[in-house]
Amino acid sequence: MHLDLAWAQVQRKRDADALLHLMEAERVAPEMVRYNVMARELVREMLARQKKSKTSALHRLAVRAGVLD
């Protein structure tokens, strides 16, 4: 459910809300965020739009999900 909600928020360009849903999905089932193609693509899309530093919560999530090394 959280991945679907995150997808909807990314489509609306509400990345902060999407990030909260992805983080909750990771809390419940970390393997889902790490290995789910849609989750990883959502993280990539949000990273492309992000203007903040590499110390942000999104960047840390991207590293944990294997999107960034």
Side-chain angles (χ1 to χ4, degrees):
M1 174 179 87
H2 286 289
L3 289 181
D4 290 334
L5 292 171
W7 175 84
Q9 296 301 339
V10 167
Q11 297 308 303
R12 298 178 69 200
K13 295 185 173 37
R14 296 181 65 181
D15 292 351
D17 293 330
L19 179 60
L20 291 175
H21 286 295
L22 285 170
M23 291 174 70
E24 183 61 17
E26 182 186 38
R27 185 188 69 76
V28 173
E31 69 281 358
M32 181 64 96
V33 176
R34 173 99 176 148
Y35 299 110
N36 184 282
V37 173
M38 181 179 74
R40 293 168 58 106
E41 286 303 313
L42 292 175
V43 171
R44 281 188 189 98
E45 187 172 337
M46 289 190 301
L47 280 171
R49 288 197 290 237
Q50 186 183 45
K51 304 278 192 270
K52 295 179 184 175
S53 70
K54 293 184 178 186
T55 60
S56 69
L58 177 58
H59 186 270
R60 291 189 302 271
L61 177 65
V63 170
R64 290 191 305 271
V67 173
L68 297 175
D69 293 326

